[in-house]
Amino acid sequence: MTRKNMLVASLSLCLLTYATGTAHATSGIKNAWKTRYATACATLRTAADQCLICHTSSNADIDNLNAYGTLLMNNNRNYAAAEPIDSDGDGRTNLEEIMTDCTRPGDITSPTAATTWGAMKSFYR
Ligand SMILES: [Ca+2]
């Protein structure tokens, strides 16, 4: 193998390793989410910046997607299709959690319906 061929093979291996390695949430994904939910509460927008809307930690590997992140991955990030679904099984749709309750749609440990911002606001109406 010539020196040039070895260099090409090495670069190809590096690119292949990078391309097939762990999938990370990109700023494009975060920005797309933040654009769609532009009026979501600051807490969730910060969580989006930290990848915590779709992942269980800010180490945004494909291995630690939560239920909402898995849903979005499987439906090619079709946010509209994901909105009426209750990804974490807490009785509230993803859209309710994002736009009304200010809770993470893929995190069952988010506040319960009785302690959500939406419930507290309705208490004072
Ligand atoms: Ca839910």
Side-chain angles (χ1 to χ4, degrees):
M1 184 177 273
T2 67
R3 191 175 189 169
K4 180 181 174 186
N5 286 346
M6 284 192 57
L7 180 62
V8 169
S10 296
L11 287 173
S12 297
L13 183 60
C14 289
L15 287 172
L16 185 63
T17 301
Y18 178 76
T20 60
T22 56
H24 293 274
T26 65
S27 59
I29 295 171
K30 295 178 209 174
N31 289 339
W33 190 92
K34 288 174 71 177
T35 298
R36 179 157 184 92
Y37 304 108
T39 58
C41 68
T43 300
L44 287 187
R45 295 178 67 75
T46 299
D49 286 334
Q50 298 169 338
C51 306
L52 295 173
I53 298 294
C54 298
H55 296 267
T56 56
S57 77
S58 58
N59 180 15
D61 289 335
I62 198 167
D63 298 335
N64 68 8
L65 285 169
N66 61 30
Y68 178 69
T70 300
L71 171 66
L72 289 177
M73 181 184 73
N74 290 337
N75 78 3
N76 201 25
R77 289 193 295 279
N78 183 336
Y79 297 115
E83 289 172 350
I85 296 171
D86 176 11
S87 289
D88 58 10
D90 65 359
R92 297 171 289 147
T93 67
N94 295 328
L95 186 61
E96 287 174 320
E97 292 206 57
I98 295 166
M99 296 307 294
T100 304
D101 298 340
C102 189
T103 55
R104 296 181 198 165
D107 184 358
I108 190 71
T109 63
S110 291
T112 62
T115 58
T116 62
W117 179 238
M120 291 176 70
K121 284 194 298 187
S122 68
F123 188 69
Y124 292 100
R125 286 185 190 137

